[in-house]
Amino acid sequence: ASKPTPVTDIQAAVAGGKIYVPGGRLSNGQPTDILEIYNPREDNWVTGASLPLPLSAYTLVAFEGDLYLFGGWNGTEYTNLSLRYDPGQDEWHFLTPMPEARGFAGAAHVGGKIYVVGGYDGTMFLTNNDIYSPELEETAQPPWKTGAPLPEGRSAMGIASVVDNLYLIGGEGPSIEFFTQMKYSPSTDAWEITTNPLAEPWAYMGVVPLSTTLYALGGKLGNQPTERNLVYQVIFSISIPIAP
């Protein structure tokens, strides 16, 4: 079943076997506050509780049954909003805002923390690596802290977590034609360069982890949409025979 409302500059996340797609930019260029929910088993869409305000270009993460939404474009400016959506109650809740306003950032969770990386604030491509601890919300401790920044600012990249590391692919920046693939280790708070999938500009792709493999799909190569579906094997298992 087709999505009822055509939008772009969105992300989607899975909770309870359903796919949630909040907001997005409409054909008139303005963001919407609609939340549309797809049920794969029944092949139908329903409408959930509207966002507190229209948003597009946000980043979205599913974590422990809830959805966490950060930043985005409200039709006038980029925001530092942090929101949590409870699918069981069909409610949005405001959280402690991010340190910086931004859109087109990347986000993934590792070890009970959510990492919001890079993005664009309307003037600059950001190197921010801001770490959110959901369990610290509504406590005396601040839920946000700062991790090691990216080597250069970028936005519209793909990001996912595999085996307790973050993997970042592609993106856009101020002058560099294409970006190397990066890996971030939360245990050492350090970035390192890994294998680069394409020696050409690649951004706005979807990146999905499956076991120890990353799938990077679609997006833009240069200024053109692409049908690419690339697979990155993060971990290999090697059998070593033992002589008797």
Side-chain angles (χ1 to χ4, degrees):
S2 297
K3 186 177 181 301
T5 306
V7 287
T8 188
D9 295 347
I10 58 165
Q11 293 196 8
V14 176
K18 298 178 181 179
I19 301 172
Y20 293 77
V21 186
R25 182 163 56 88
L26 301 167
S27 58
N28 64 7
Q30 293 301 305
T32 177
D33 63 359
I34 196 168
L35 170 63
E36 293 180 333
I37 306 165
Y38 177 68
N39 186 331
R41 291 182 295 275
E42 299 178 4
D43 188 30
N44 65 14
W45 291 86
V46 298
T47 301
S50 297
L51 285 161
L53 74 168
L55 284 173
S56 65
Y58 52 80
T59 189
L60 185 69
V61 178
F63 178 71
E64 295 188 347
D66 290 342
L67 306 185
Y68 289 81
L69 183 151
F70 303 101
W73 173 258
N74 65 10
T76 304
E77 60 186 359
Y78 291 103
T79 79
N80 65 345
L81 285 175
S82 299
L83 300 171
R84 179 177 65 85
Y85 175 75
D86 181 340
Q89 299 297 319
D90 189 29
E91 292 178 346
W92 290 95
H93 301 274
F94 284 96
L95 305 173
T96 303
M98 292 189 296
E100 300 282 347
R102 69 183 103 168
F104 298 108
H109 65 84
V110 174
K113 302 181 187 301
I114 300 173
Y115 295 76
V116 183
V117 181
Y120 181 68
D121 67 1
T123 302
M124 298 175 57
F125 293 91
L126 304 177
T127 62
N128 294 52
N129 177 14
D130 295 313
I131 306 169
Y132 178 73
S133 299
E135 77 277 6
L136 297 181
E137 190 68 50
E138 298 182 357
T139 70
Q141 301 181 60
W144 288 98
K145 70 175 185 178
T146 301
L150 287 166
E152 65 278 317
R154 69 171 88 180
S155 70
M157 60 283 197
I159 187 170
S161 62
V162 178
V163 194
D164 295 334
N165 289 311
L166 299 182
Y167 289 83
L168 190 151
I169 301 172
E172 292 186 333
S175 59
I176 301 175
E177 291 187 355
F178 69 96
F179 290 102
T180 53
Q181 181 173 304
M182 304 291 297
K183 180 178 78 171
Y184 173 76
S185 171
S187 61
T188 61
D189 189 31
W191 293 92
E192 64 178 271
I193 296 174
T194 63
T195 305
N196 202 43
L198 285 177
E200 53 191 317
W202 192 21
Y204 298 99
M205 77 290 287
V207 175
V208 181
L210 182 61
S211 184
T212 59
T213 301
L214 286 178
Y215 289 82
L217 308 98
K220 291 169 60 178
L221 285 175
N223 292 318
Q224 297 298 318
T226 178
E227 77 287 355
R228 291 290 182 97
N229 178 12
L230 298 187
V231 182
Y232 179 73
Q233 187 70 38
V234 177
I235 294 176
F236 290 89
S237 297
I238 301 174
S239 298
I240 301 176
I242 300 176

